[in-house]
Amino acid sequence: MALEISSTLLARLLNEAEKTPDREVCGLLFGSPTRILDFSRCRNVAPDPRCAFEIDPVPLIAAHKAARAGGPAIVGCYHSHPCGAAIPSARDAAAATPDDSIWLIMAGRDASFYRAAENGPVEGRFVAVRHEIVEL
Ligand SMILES: [Zn+2]
């Protein structure tokens, strides 16, 4: 089954990435395993944010707590590759937990979705996910 995301939401994410060409943007994705419904941008606290990302742990923990209390479910994360392609890097593979979470990677106007999985065919850690852009 394809993963659904609205054209509006995807455009907002791509615009955010495009407006920040000097560093990787990152954040959390909310929704269900088959549909991205919202996102929350988080600070990139990586030591070198130009070519790496690390989601600020403070909003990350807060979002997990909120989800456990009945708030929006975290289904994955997103980040941009300002000077690369919209495919997972070896660094992404090293950082990913094989927990089936969704990874959205953006480069320019390209966006691609993956699931983090043990022994995935992409970088040994990701499975490409077909996505469908829906109008809301
Ligand atoms: Zn990356």
Side-chain angles (χ1 to χ4, degrees), residues 14 17-18 81-82 84 106-110:
L14 287 166
E18 206 170 45
H81 286 171
M106 299 177 286
R109 299 306 291 177
D110 288 340

Side-chain angles (χ1 to χ4, degrees), residues 63-129:
H64 278 284
K65 276 187 183 161
R68 278 198 299 273
I74 302 165
V75 291
C77 64
Y78 71 87
H79 73 285
S80 63
H81 286 171
C83 28
I87 53 172
S89 65
R91 195 193 292 251
D92 293 333
T97 305
D99 56 4
D100 227 31
S101 62
I102 293 164
W103 282 58
L104 161 59
I105 302 176
M106 299 177 286
R109 299 306 291 177
D110 288 340
S112 50
F113 292 84
Y114 296 85
R115 281 188 203 281
E118 195 74 59
N119 303 317
V122 181
E123 292 289 347
R125 187 42 53 99
F126 295 100
V127 178
V129 175

